[in-house]
Amino acid sequence: FFLMIRRPPRSTQSRSSAASDVYKRQFLMNLHIEDRPIYLTRHGGTPFIQNSIIGGDPSLAEEGRLYGEYLGKFFESEMEQGSLKGRESVRLMTSTMKRAKETIQHIKLPCEPLYLKFLDEINAGVADSLSIHEFKEKYPEEYGERQRAVSYTHLTLPTIYSVQISVVAVSLKKK
């Protein structure tokens, strides 16, 4: 297991990045070095993704359902002959979003899924359920700001994701 944490240059540090550093340290303190496979995946495709619509809570599209079926077969194989074979302690954590629940419905593990609100997609605010085109027309300033951002590191998202990672790490520690 390898985790690299890059500290931003002092000139770009803010309260947000300082808070992010705190959560990264918490994550590392709660990390247990032991053989524990962790699988990360996103939900399957949705009509919103296909139509460039921001946020929302849509159901899966057909290819999203197929992806969920593939995940089910993958984890069945992992339980029979892969890294999950013989494990009594298995956890399945997902967001409370409809598309996430639909994606995991074919995964059969010896545990009940944990539906965790903090894993939900970050609220898109005024852009929620708008197409990129509609967002550009209705909110040109916000659209321009989004386009000017080289990456999400210019926003407050790293702190949010750090909190999520830290909470997941603590949750894994409990089992």
Side-chain angles (χ1 to χ4, degrees), residues 115-130:
Y115 299 103
L116 306 171
K117 183 80 174 150
F118 69 84
L119 292 177
D120 285 0
E121 186 172 295
I122 296 168
N123 187 328
V126 296
D128 193 54
S129 300
L130 296 178

PDB file of all heavy atoms in Angstrom, residues 115-130:
ATOM      1  N   TYR A 115     -25.060   2.274   3.860  1.00  0.00           N
ATOM      2  CA  TYR A 115     -25.401   3.437   3.042  1.00  0.00           C
ATOM      3  C   TYR A 115     -24.985   4.675   3.827  1.00  0.00           C
ATOM      4  O   TYR A 115     -25.573   4.980   4.862  1.00  0.00           O
ATOM      5  CB  TYR A 115     -26.890   3.455   2.714  1.00  0.00           C
ATOM      6  CG  TYR A 115     -27.312   2.239   1.934  1.00  0.00           C
ATOM      7  CD1 TYR A 115     -27.990   1.199   2.543  1.00  0.00           C
ATOM      8  CD2 TYR A 115     -27.004   2.136   0.580  1.00  0.00           C
ATOM      9  CE1 TYR A 115     -28.361   0.073   1.815  1.00  0.00           C
ATOM     10  CE2 TYR A 115     -27.379   1.015  -0.154  1.00  0.00           C
ATOM     11  CZ  TYR A 115     -28.052  -0.012   0.476  1.00  0.00           C
ATOM     12  OH  TYR A 115     -28.423  -1.120  -0.233  1.00  0.00           O
ATOM     13  N   LEU A 116     -23.955   5.355   3.355  1.00  0.00           N
ATOM     14  CA  LEU A 116     -23.348   6.457   4.079  1.00  0.00           C
ATOM     15  C   LEU A 116     -23.575   7.783   3.366  1.00  0.00           C
ATOM     16  O   LEU A 116     -23.118   7.977   2.238  1.00  0.00           O
ATOM     17  CB  LEU A 116     -21.849   6.196   4.262  1.00  0.00           C
ATOM     18  CG  LEU A 116     -21.511   4.852   4.925  1.00  0.00           C
ATOM     19  CD1 LEU A 116     -20.025   4.584   4.853  1.00  0.00           C
ATOM     20  CD2 LEU A 116     -22.006   4.831   6.356  1.00  0.00           C
ATOM     21  N   LYS A 117     -24.244   8.686   4.025  1.00  0.00           N
ATOM     22  CA  LYS A 117     -24.588   9.989   3.453  1.00  0.00           C
ATOM     23  C   LYS A 117     -23.342  10.785   3.069  1.00  0.00           C
ATOM     24  O   LYS A 117     -23.335  11.493   2.065  1.00  0.00           O
ATOM     25  CB  LYS A 117     -25.445  10.762   4.461  1.00  0.00           C
ATOM     26  CG  LYS A 117     -25.930  12.091   3.967  1.00  0.00           C
ATOM     27  CD  LYS A 117     -27.122  11.925   3.069  1.00  0.00           C
ATOM     28  CE  LYS A 117     -27.677  13.298   2.697  1.00  0.00           C
ATOM     29  NZ  LYS A 117     -28.299  13.288   1.400  1.00  0.00           N
ATOM     30  N   PHE A 118     -22.260  10.659   3.840  1.00  0.00           N
ATOM     31  CA  PHE A 118     -21.072  11.454   3.544  1.00  0.00           C
ATOM     32  C   PHE A 118     -20.377  11.018   2.259  1.00  0.00           C
ATOM     33  O   PHE A 118     -19.493  11.702   1.770  1.00  0.00           O
ATOM     34  CB  PHE A 118     -20.085  11.465   4.718  1.00  0.00           C
ATOM     35  CG  PHE A 118     -19.422  10.145   4.976  1.00  0.00           C
ATOM     36  CD1 PHE A 118     -18.294   9.758   4.274  1.00  0.00           C
ATOM     37  CD2 PHE A 118     -19.917   9.307   5.948  1.00  0.00           C
ATOM     38  CE1 PHE A 118     -17.679   8.549   4.516  1.00  0.00           C
ATOM     39  CE2 PHE A 118     -19.305   8.091   6.207  1.00  0.00           C
ATOM     40  CZ  PHE A 118     -18.188   7.713   5.486  1.00  0.00           C
ATOM     41  N   LEU A 119     -20.788   9.897   1.678  1.00  0.00           N
ATOM     42  CA  LEU A 119     -20.244   9.468   0.394  1.00  0.00           C
ATOM     43  C   LEU A 119     -21.068   9.995  -0.789  1.00  0.00           C
ATOM     44  O   LEU A 119     -20.713   9.784  -1.938  1.00  0.00           O
ATOM     45  CB  LEU A 119     -20.165   7.940   0.318  1.00  0.00           C
ATOM     46  CG  LEU A 119     -19.143   7.280   1.241  1.00  0.00           C
ATOM     47  CD1 LEU A 119     -19.226   5.761   1.128  1.00  0.00           C
ATOM     48  CD2 LEU A 119     -17.743   7.758   0.934  1.00  0.00           C
ATOM     49  N   ASP A 120     -22.167  10.664  -0.483  1.00  0.00           N
ATOM     50  CA  ASP A 120     -22.993  11.231  -1.558  1.00  0.00           C
ATOM     51  C   ASP A 120     -22.199  12.258  -2.352  1.00  0.00           C
ATOM     52  O   ASP A 120     -21.262  12.869  -1.852  1.00  0.00           O
ATOM     53  CB  ASP A 120     -24.243  11.911  -0.991  1.00  0.00           C
ATOM     54  CG  ASP A 120     -25.288  10.911  -0.529  1.00  0.00           C
ATOM     55  OD1 ASP A 120     -25.060   9.701  -0.650  1.00  0.00           O
ATOM     56  OD2 ASP A 120     -26.334  11.364  -0.024  1.00  0.00           O
ATOM     57  N   GLU A 121     -22.636  12.461  -3.570  1.00  0.00           N
ATOM     58  CA  GLU A 121     -22.022  13.476  -4.424  1.00  0.00           C
ATOM     59  C   GLU A 121     -22.146  14.839  -3.764  1.00  0.00           C
ATOM     60  O   GLU A 121     -23.137  15.132  -3.097  1.00  0.00           O
ATOM     61  CB  GLU A 121     -22.758  13.477  -5.764  1.00  0.00           C
ATOM     62  CG  GLU A 121     -22.152  14.364  -6.804  1.00  0.00           C
ATOM     63  CD  GLU A 121     -22.817  14.152  -8.144  1.00  0.00           C
ATOM     64  OE1 GLU A 121     -22.709  13.050  -8.704  1.00  0.00           O
ATOM     65  OE2 GLU A 121     -23.456  15.094  -8.616  1.00  0.00           O
ATOM     66  N   ILE A 122     -21.150  15.664  -3.950  1.00  0.00           N
ATOM     67  CA  ILE A 122     -21.167  17.009  -3.398  1.00  0.00           C
ATOM     68  C   ILE A 122     -22.309  17.784  -4.054  1.00  0.00           C
ATOM     69  O   ILE A 122     -22.523  17.701  -5.259  1.00  0.00           O
ATOM     70  CB  ILE A 122     -19.814  17.694  -3.636  1.00  0.00           C
ATOM     71  CG1 ILE A 122     -18.738  16.938  -2.873  1.00  0.00           C
ATOM     72  CG2 ILE A 122     -19.857  19.156  -3.220  1.00  0.00           C
ATOM     73  CD1 ILE A 122     -17.337  17.336  -3.248  1.00  0.00           C
ATOM     74  N   ASN A 123     -23.047  18.528  -3.266  1.00  0.00           N
ATOM     75  CA  ASN A 123     -24.192  19.279  -3.750  1.00  0.00           C
ATOM     76  C   ASN A 123     -23.765  20.246  -4.854  1.00  0.00           C
ATOM     77  O   ASN A 123     -22.860  21.054  -4.665  1.00  0.00           O
ATOM     78  CB  ASN A 123     -24.828  20.042  -2.585  1.00  0.00           C
ATOM     79  CG  ASN A 123     -26.122  20.710  -2.981  1.00  0.00           C
ATOM     80  OD1 ASN A 123     -26.311  21.135  -4.117  1.00  0.00           O
ATOM     81  ND2 ASN A 123     -27.024  20.823  -2.033  1.00  0.00           N
ATOM     82  N   ALA A 124     -24.427  20.159  -5.989  1.00  0.00           N
ATOM     83  CA  ALA A 124     -24.087  21.011  -7.134  1.00  0.00           C
ATOM     84  C   ALA A 124     -24.735  22.391  -7.044  1.00  0.00           C
ATOM     85  O   ALA A 124     -24.547  23.226  -7.921  1.00  0.00           O
ATOM     86  CB  ALA A 124     -24.508  20.324  -8.430  1.00  0.00           C
ATOM     87  N   GLY A 125     -25.500  22.640  -5.995  1.00  0.00           N
ATOM     88  CA  GLY A 125     -26.100  23.960  -5.787  1.00  0.00           C
ATOM     89  C   GLY A 125     -27.037  24.362  -6.916  1.00  0.00           C
ATOM     90  O   GLY A 125     -27.857  23.565  -7.366  1.00  0.00           O
ATOM     91  N   VAL A 126     -26.887  25.589  -7.405  1.00  0.00           N
ATOM     92  CA  VAL A 126     -27.783  26.104  -8.448  1.00  0.00           C
ATOM     93  C   VAL A 126     -27.652  25.331  -9.750  1.00  0.00           C
ATOM     94  O   VAL A 126     -28.554  25.361 -10.590  1.00  0.00           O
ATOM     95  CB  VAL A 126     -27.550  27.605  -8.717  1.00  0.00           C
ATOM     96  CG1 VAL A 126     -27.877  28.436  -7.493  1.00  0.00           C
ATOM     97  CG2 VAL A 126     -26.138  27.868  -9.197  1.00  0.00           C
ATOM     98  N   ALA A 127     -26.546  24.619  -9.931  1.00  0.00           N
ATOM     99  CA  ALA A 127     -26.330  23.873 -11.170  1.00  0.00           C
ATOM    100  C   ALA A 127     -26.993  22.497 -11.151  1.00  0.00           C
ATOM    101  O   ALA A 127     -27.046  21.824 -12.182  1.00  0.00           O
ATOM    102  CB  ALA A 127     -24.835  23.709 -11.420  1.00  0.00           C
ATOM    103  N   ASP A 128     -27.529  22.092 -10.016  1.00  0.00           N
ATOM    104  CA  ASP A 128     -28.099  20.753  -9.891  1.00  0.00           C
ATOM    105  C   ASP A 128     -29.188  20.495 -10.922  1.00  0.00           C
ATOM    106  O   ASP A 128     -30.126  21.281 -11.064  1.00  0.00           O
ATOM    107  CB  ASP A 128     -28.663  20.547  -8.483  1.00  0.00           C
ATOM    108  CG  ASP A 128     -28.964  19.088  -8.205  1.00  0.00           C
ATOM    109  OD1 ASP A 128     -28.046  18.257  -8.378  1.00  0.00           O
ATOM    110  OD2 ASP A 128     -30.106  18.777  -7.825  1.00  0.00           O
ATOM    111  N   SER A 129     -29.028  19.411 -11.640  1.00  0.00           N
ATOM    112  CA  SER A 129     -29.972  18.939 -12.664  1.00  0.00           C
ATOM    113  C   SER A 129     -30.048  19.822 -13.906  1.00  0.00           C
ATOM    114  O   SER A 129     -30.967  19.689 -14.705  1.00  0.00           O
ATOM    115  CB  SER A 129     -31.376  18.731 -12.075  1.00  0.00           C
ATOM    116  OG  SER A 129     -31.314  17.765 -11.044  1.00  0.00           O
ATOM    117  N   LEU A 130     -29.088  20.720 -14.084  1.00  0.00           N
ATOM    118  CA  LEU A 130     -29.011  21.509 -15.309  1.00  0.00           C
ATOM    119  C   LEU A 130     -28.002  20.878 -16.257  1.00  0.00           C
ATOM    120  O   LEU A 130     -27.010  20.298 -15.816  1.00  0.00           O
ATOM    121  CB  LEU A 130     -28.543  22.939 -15.014  1.00  0.00           C
ATOM    122  CG  LEU A 130     -29.431  23.837 -14.162  1.00  0.00           C
ATOM    123  CD1 LEU A 130     -28.758  25.184 -13.945  1.00  0.00           C
ATOM    124  CD2 LEU A 130     -30.797  24.015 -14.797  1.00  0.00           C
TER     125      LEU A 130
END
